[in-house]
């Protein structure tokens, strides 16, 4: 943590400018930046961990150095005269309206991450109470399996954002709808793939993380229950991010908080009392289902409103 925190300015300069690079018309270059940092990390981590014997501090050092290389790459892009947006005198003047928009749109993922961290603490405490250390380990395996597919969908939505934002601003609503439709289909396909693999081979995927037979059995049961409505999660993530893309901050924030605070938290407080450890696993797909319904209803209301406004404009 000492190493990672010291490297925070490097990390977030790289991440922030990489997002700007993608949004200003250089998606391939932004993807290449991410690939460069990953490849550097893969090369440096084993050298620092094993050859120099630095252990976990070596892993952290490799991460920060890799992100520094990515930062240099990104900054060099914004120093070039050929770049659409570049660093130059007068560029650093802060404008209240722009800063306000950034905060309002960014508040959704910020709150989602904060509440997710709080929920993880509650989940771990509940797992410790009803299943002990083994249950906490099983949740770690389950969570990592689900995050693998969720991160792919989040990557999809990051690619969707500049396309939807640009066309929404240009009043090209057909393109916005087409992009949203394709993104939802792709998101559902991704999470459905995870659902099929984890439901058919729960022990095999759990065994990737550990060789302990008891832990594998517990993780496999957790995976099968937790992933029950996983195909719907892909659509829910895309819809929530869609509202962020078009600047509807309040709706986006509401959808970001529904799963964690409105559905999952009460479930964690109620279900385990009746179902024990299975109650903790069960409340996750239940909250995912109701979050999906909420997201679909919000999208349906917004689309109806948009059609009504469009008809008035034509009239």
């Amino acid at each position: 943590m000492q190493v990672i925190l010291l490297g925070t300015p490097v990390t977030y300069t790289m991440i922030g400018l990489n997002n700007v690079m993608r949004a200003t018309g250089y998606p391939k270059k932004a993807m290449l930046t991410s690939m460069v940092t990953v490849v550097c990390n893969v090369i440096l981590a084993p050298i620092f961990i094993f050859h120099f014997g630095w252990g976990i501090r070596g892993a952290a050092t490799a991460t920060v150095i890799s992100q520094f290389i990515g930062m240099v790459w990104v900054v060099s892009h914004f120093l070039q005269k050929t770049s659409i947006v570049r660093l130059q005198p007068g560029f650093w003047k802060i404008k209240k309206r722009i800063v306000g928009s950034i905060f309002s749109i960014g508040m959704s993922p910020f709150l989602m991450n904060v509440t997710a961290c709080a929920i993880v603490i509650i989940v771990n405490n509940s797992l410790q109470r009803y299943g002990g250390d083994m249950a906490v380990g099983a949740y770690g395996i389950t969570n990592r399996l689900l995050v693998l597919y969720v991160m792919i969908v989040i990557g999809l939505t990051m690619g969707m954002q500049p396309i939807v934002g640009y066309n929404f601003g240009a009043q090209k609503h057909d393109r916005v709808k087409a992009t949203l439709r394709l993104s939802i289909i792709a998101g559902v396909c991704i999470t459905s793939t995870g659902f099929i693999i984890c439901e058919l081979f729960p022990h095999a995927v759990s065994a990737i993380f550990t060789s302990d037979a008891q832990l594998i059995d517990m993780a496999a049961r957790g995976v099968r229950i937790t992933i029950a409505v996983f195909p719907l999660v892909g659509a829910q993530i895309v819809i929530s991010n869609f509202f962020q893309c078009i600047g509807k901050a309040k709706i986006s924030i509401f959808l970001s908080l529904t799963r964690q605070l409105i559905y999952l938290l009460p479930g964690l407080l109620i279900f385990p009392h009746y179902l024990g450890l299975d109650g903790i696993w069960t409340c996750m797909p239940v909250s995912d289902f109701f979050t999906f319904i909420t997201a679909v209803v919000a999208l349906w209301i917004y689309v109806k409103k948009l059609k009504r406004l469009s008809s008035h404009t034509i009239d």
Side-chain angles (χ1 to χ4, degrees):
M1 184 169 285
Q2 288 175 344
V3 176
I4 292 294
L5 289 178
L6 286 171
T8 297
V10 170
T11 300
Y12 289 102
T13 299
M14 187 275 289
I15 293 174
L17 290 179
N18 196 45
N19 284 325
V20 175
M21 181 191 290
R22 187 183 69 252
T24 52
Y26 299 92
K28 291 182 180 179
K29 203 169 183 179
M31 180 180 68
L32 187 58
T33 305
S34 300
M35 292 176 66
V36 167
T37 57
V38 169
V39 170
C40 289
N41 207 340
V42 169
I43 294 171
L44 293 176
I47 295 174
F48 291 166
I49 295 170
F50 302 112
H51 183 70
F52 293 143
W54 292 352
I56 194 167
R57 186 178 289 270
T61 303
T63 298
V64 172
I65 292 176
S66 301
Q67 290 170 344
F68 177 77
I69 294 170
M71 185 194 73
V72 172
W73 173 285
V74 174
V75 170
S76 66
H77 166 80
F78 287 102
L79 292 175
Q80 297 172 8
K81 292 183 178 180
T82 54
S83 175
I84 296 173
V85 176
R86 65 180 187 272
L87 305 176
Q88 55 188 328
F91 183 83
W92 307 101
K93 185 178 180 181
I94 295 177
K95 296 180 180 179
K96 184 178 179 180
R97 181 182 60 82
I98 295 176
V99 172
S101 296
I102 291 171
F103 267 90
S104 63
I105 295 172
M107 191 57 66
S108 171
F110 167 74
L111 291 174
M112 182 173 65
N113 283 311
V114 170
T115 53
C117 290
I119 290 295
V120 166
I121 294 172
I122 297 171
V123 169
N124 281 333
N125 286 330
S126 299
L127 289 166
Q128 187 70 47
R129 180 180 177 184
Y130 291 98
D133 291 339
M134 195 68 74
V136 175
Y139 174 69
I141 292 173
T142 302
N143 193 46
R144 278 161 180 76
L145 285 170
L146 301 190
V147 165
L148 174 65
Y149 295 98
V150 168
M151 290 304 292
I152 298 173
V153 179
I154 290 175
L156 174 74
T157 62
M158 291 174 70
M160 175 188 76
Q161 284 177 353
I163 300 171
V164 169
Y166 178 86
N167 285 287
F168 182 80
Q171 299 296 305
K172 297 180 179 179
H173 297 300
D174 288 340
R175 289 186 178 182
V176 172
K177 292 176 184 177
T179 305
L180 175 62
R181 182 170 60 252
L182 289 172
S183 298
I184 289 175
I185 292 171
V188 170
C189 288
I190 292 166
T191 50
S192 295
T193 301
F195 170 79
I196 293 169
I197 292 173
C198 290
E199 284 289 355
L200 293 178
F201 313 104
H203 287 82
V205 294
S206 298
I208 297 172
F209 299 89
T210 181
S211 58
D212 188 301
Q214 185 181 354
L215 181 55
I216 290 173
D217 287 340
M218 188 176 288
R221 181 168 180 78
V223 167
R224 272 194 158 156
I225 297 174
T226 303
I227 211 166
V229 297
F230 201 51
L232 304 179
V233 173
Q236 180 262 317
I237 294 173
V238 171
I239 294 171
S240 297
N241 279 271
F242 169 75
F243 286 106
Q244 184 184 355
C245 296
I246 61 176
K248 301 298 178 183
K250 292 181 180 179
I251 302 176
S252 182
I253 291 171
F254 171 72
L255 292 178
S256 298
L257 296 178
T258 50
R259 181 184 187 271
Q260 311 293 352
L261 296 182
I262 299 177
Y263 300 130
L264 185 55
L265 182 57
L268 287 170
L269 298 175
I270 297 171
F271 283 28
H273 286 293
Y274 299 98
L275 301 175
L277 182 58
D278 280 352
I280 300 174
W281 304 131
T282 302
C283 70
M284 296 179 189
V286 170
S287 63
D288 286 334
F289 175 76
F290 284 109
T291 304
F292 166 76
I293 296 297
T294 304
V296 169
V297 170
L299 181 63
W300 180 77
I301 292 172
Y302 177 74
V303 169
K304 295 286 285 185
K305 181 180 178 181
L306 195 63
K307 286 182 179 178
R308 189 166 60 250
L309 290 173
S310 298
S311 64
H312 287 328
T313 303
I314 293 171
D315 292 341

